[in-house]
Amino acid sequence: MKSPAELTDTFRANGLKVTPQRQLLFGLMHGNTVHPTAEALFAEASARMPGISLRTVYQTLTDLASMGELRLIDVGTGATRFDPNTDDHHHVVCSSCGEVRDVYVAGSDRLKVDGLDGFQIEEASILFSGTCVTCASDTVSRASARG
Amino acid sequence: MKSPAELTDTFRANGLKVTPQRQLLFGLMHGNTVHPTAEALFAEASARMPGISLRTVYQTLTDLASMGELRLIDVGTGATRFDPNTDDHHHVVCSSCGEVRDVYVAGSDRLKVDGLDGFQIEEASILFSGTCVTCASDTVSRASARG
DNA sequence: TTCTCAATCTGCAAAGAGTGCGAACTAGCA
DNA sequence: TGCTAGTTCGCACTCTTTGCAGATTGAGAA
Ligand SMILES: [Mn+2]
Ligand SMILES: [Mn+2]
Ligand SMILES: [Zn+2]
Ligand SMILES: [Zn+2]
């Protein structure tokens, strides 16, 4: 995703207005690596700008996505995650707490794939799922406490 | 997924009853390769057994899934897909019509993956998306019609 | 600076996909 | 044939996201 300053120019250049709400969200998303949900961003945004609406958060986020500045990610935890990292990358999600992290995969060009005949492929995404360090140690703690 | 006859035994052996609703769903899912949604199955089931409830379809499907007989798949089209194919396989979804097909991938063990440190991985799924033959030719047809 | 109006924001209703609950029903065993 | 634990069904409700419309405002024009 471009920087807030660059986005400001891009928006104006496209006849879109640069509102305080948008600027706030530009800032909250820039460099954000946690893959937040709309609700999570709404909570952060509300802290800095009481009164901002969840509707506007969704609006701005989907606008940025359709401009190619954000990626919408579905890791199967219910709500869509928003990602300012537009590199070619994949994800890993903790099935316990829902944490999402970036995963870079090399060598996927050498995979032997069977079943794509007839399809004109646009993209391939790999989703890893498992338990993050925090949740793994929590489990250990509870086990110790019990036994 | 086991055959309807085998499932009947398995269910009884586990103290679960074999109802007409369950038998119908065993039959509808056995060998089913379309990755249907609960609503789609409900429609098929209703045709054969008027009065069956969507609630029961969901119930039976999730029961089968927790017994490991069915896989729940999220291809990002909104509703969960149900898959009786428990082989280790992946999927491709048509971004236009939502059709889902099986994809077998070999060589994934040789991928170079970076970013999984700390995670205890339980599974990795690859989702391809693109345009299926039907939707591709539809697009061509419309283009021709226009000029 | 003030004017003007398209673009934006907000609140609320509503849609899509499931899930929790409890009353009525029934498969399977004695 | 009866009993009862397991099921089914309908309905209310949650969660996530979108549609709508009236009130508000950014930013170029004058
Ligand atoms: Mn990412
Ligand atoms: Mn499949
Ligand atoms: Zn975790
Ligand atoms: Zn298609």
Side-chain angles (χ1 to χ4, degrees):
Chain A
M1 186 179 108
K2 292 176 185 166
S3 70
E6 292 173 310
L7 286 174
T8 293
D9 293 344
T10 304
F11 268 58
R12 293 229 174 90
N14 285 58
L16 301 177
K17 295 175 179 174
V18 176
T19 66
Q21 291 88 342
R22 283 177 175 174
Q23 289 176 302
L24 173 57
L25 288 165
F26 293 169
L28 289 177
M29 284 309 291
H30 189 242
N32 190 320
T33 62
V34 307
H35 304 86
T37 61
E39 283 284 354
L41 282 166
F42 173 58
E44 283 191 72
S46 295
R48 303 225 188 1
M49 183 187 286
I52 189 173
S53 77
L54 176 59
R55 192 70 187 77
T56 295
V57 173
Y58 270 108
Q59 200 96 266
T60 302
L61 256 20
T62 53
D63 285 350
L64 284 168
S66 64
M67 294 169 75
E69 297 295 331
L70 278 187
R71 280 180 52 188
L72 306 188
I73 297 170
D74 177 4
V75 292
T77 46
T80 299
R81 305 303 187 101
F82 297 85
D83 192 353
N85 180 352
T86 51
D87 288 353
D88 179 13
H89 71 290
H90 302 278
H91 297 92
V92 56
V93 58
C94 174
S95 48
S96 173
C97 69
E99 180 187 334
V100 174
R101 288 212 324 236
D102 288 339
V103 174
Y104 288 83
V105 175
S108 54
D109 46 304
R110 270 182 285 135
L111 290 174
K112 296 198 192 331
V113 181
D114 185 15
L116 297 181
D117 318 85
F119 271 83
Q120 191 179 303
I121 302 303
E122 285 148 19
E123 83 164 274
S125 60
I126 307 178
L127 179 64
F128 295 87
S129 67
T131 309
C132 75
V133 266
T134 308
C135 292
S137 54
D138 279 3
T139 303
V140 172
S141 303
R142 273 197 298 283
S144 307
R146 268 205 312 281
Chain B
M1 186 178 109
K2 292 176 184 168
S3 71
E6 291 173 310
L7 285 175
T8 295
D9 293 344
T10 305
F11 267 60
R12 294 229 173 89
N14 285 57
L16 301 176
K17 295 176 180 174
V18 176
T19 65
Q21 290 89 340
R22 283 177 175 172
Q23 289 177 303
L24 173 58
L25 288 165
F26 292 169
L28 290 177
M29 283 309 291
H30 190 241
N32 191 319
T33 62
V34 308
H35 305 85
T37 61
E39 284 285 354
L41 283 166
F42 174 58
E44 283 192 71
S46 295
R48 304 225 189 359
M49 183 187 288
I52 189 173
S53 76
L54 176 60
R55 193 70 187 78
T56 296
V57 173
Y58 271 110
Q59 200 96 267
T60 301
L61 256 22
T62 52
D63 285 351
L64 284 168
S66 63
M67 295 169 75
E69 297 295 330
L70 232 44
R71 279 180 54 187
L72 306 188
I73 298 169
D74 176 5
V75 292
T77 47
T80 298
R81 306 304 188 100
F82 296 85
D83 192 353
N85 180 352
T86 51
D87 287 354
D88 179 13
H89 71 289
H90 301 277
H91 299 92
V92 56
V93 57
C94 175
S95 48
S96 172
C97 68
E99 178 188 335
V100 174
R101 289 213 323 238
D102 288 340
V103 173
Y104 288 84
V105 175
S108 54
D109 46 303
R110 270 182 283 133
L111 289 175
K112 296 196 193 329
V113 181
D114 185 15
L116 297 181
D117 318 87
F119 271 83
Q120 191 178 303
I121 301 304
E122 285 148 19
E123 85 165 271
S125 60
I126 307 178
L127 178 65
F128 296 86
S129 67
T131 310
C132 76
V133 267
T134 308
C135 292
S137 55
D138 279 4
T139 302
V140 172
S141 301
R142 274 197 300 283
S144 306
R146 269 203 312 279

